[in-house]
Amino acid sequence: MEYILIIISAIFVNNVVLSQFLGICPFLGVSKKVETALGMGAAVTFVLTLATIVTYLLQVYVLVPFKVEYLQTISFILVIAALVQMVEIILKKVSPSLYQALGVFLPLITTNCCILGVAILVGNGTFDAKGLEPTLLVGVVYAIATAIGFALALVIFAGIREHLELMDVPESLKGTPIALISAGILALAFLGFAGIGAVA
């Protein structure tokens, strides 16, 4: 039951983009087409899951035993950058069209504060584990759920932006202004799920 609560909380109640405001840059940059948003969501899910596992093991078996926790941020960034390079190489060979569609936004995963933020939360055991011991398994479940929440918000927002392209939007609101207004309304919609978190 606790795992279900972690998943629901990470996807809907404490959505990493709409509630914690992490990963805003790719949220606004890659959300013009649903297809690109799906690709970005899948790439972030893959990188976030791998990064969480590797950084947790690095934290527990290297940084803490050698008492060099102050190197956490820089070492986590290096791990994430290496994983993004790996994803980039794989995408280039497996799906060149998706690689071209993501274009300049693929390197944005490296600087996506959502990935670094979740890795630090899981590494330190400071995420909401709903009463469970913050182990690697619980951390990975939290990371996957967070990535799904990120992808969900990205795809919904991309769908909204695609519809806005067909709408008669006032000239002064076209582009970024209407996108930011829509993001705010979407964040308010997700705020409605906070009642579920309070009951849980």
Side-chain angles (χ1 to χ4, degrees):
M1 185 65 181
E2 285 82 2
Y3 286 102
I4 294 170
L5 291 178
I6 290 170
I7 291 167
I8 290 171
S9 176
I11 293 174
F12 298 109
V13 181
N14 295 318
N15 187 285
V16 72
V17 179
L18 302 173
S19 180
Q20 299 176 31
F21 305 111
L22 295 173
I24 294 291
C25 187
F27 179 70
L28 293 174
V30 193
S31 59
K32 290 184 180 172
K33 291 186 177 178
V34 172
E35 186 183 347
T36 310
L38 279 169
M40 183 64 156
V44 166
T45 303
F46 180 70
V47 171
L48 185 55
T49 305
L50 274 182
T52 300
I53 293 168
V54 175
T55 54
Y56 181 89
L57 295 174
L58 181 69
Q59 176 83 7
V60 171
Y61 295 109
V62 178
L63 299 179
V64 172
F66 291 103
K67 301 191 184 328
V68 288
E69 292 96 334
Y70 58 88
L71 294 174
Q72 182 189 55
T73 304
I74 191 72
S75 59
F76 282 17
I77 289 171
L78 290 173
V79 166
I80 292 165
L83 288 171
V84 168
Q85 286 298 318
M86 188 178 77
V87 168
E88 197 168 348
I89 291 167
I90 291 169
L91 273 181
K92 202 170 188 179
K93 291 191 183 233
V94 174
S95 178
S97 59
L98 181 58
Y99 176 78
Q100 290 294 330
L102 289 174
V104 72
F105 297 109
L106 194 57
L108 277 177
I109 298 175
T110 308
T111 56
N112 188 344
C113 54
C114 159
I115 294 174
L116 180 61
V118 171
I120 289 173
L121 286 173
V122 173
N124 293 339
T126 53
F127 63 98
D128 186 8
K130 300 294 179 192
L132 293 172
E133 184 72 25
T135 60
L136 178 59
L137 177 62
V138 176
V140 169
V141 169
Y142 173 75
I144 292 170
T146 300
I148 291 169
F150 176 84
L152 178 69
L154 196 63
V155 169
I156 291 171
F157 190 53
I160 291 169
R161 288 184 77 176
E162 278 188 358
H163 281 288
L164 284 173
E165 291 294 318
L166 306 172
M167 304 297 284
D168 186 23
V169 179
E171 195 63 38
S172 59
L173 292 177
K174 281 187 178 173
T176 306
I178 194 69
L180 291 173
I181 292 167
S182 301
I185 293 170
L186 185 60
L188 285 172
F190 269 70
L191 188 64
F193 291 112
I196 296 171
V199 171

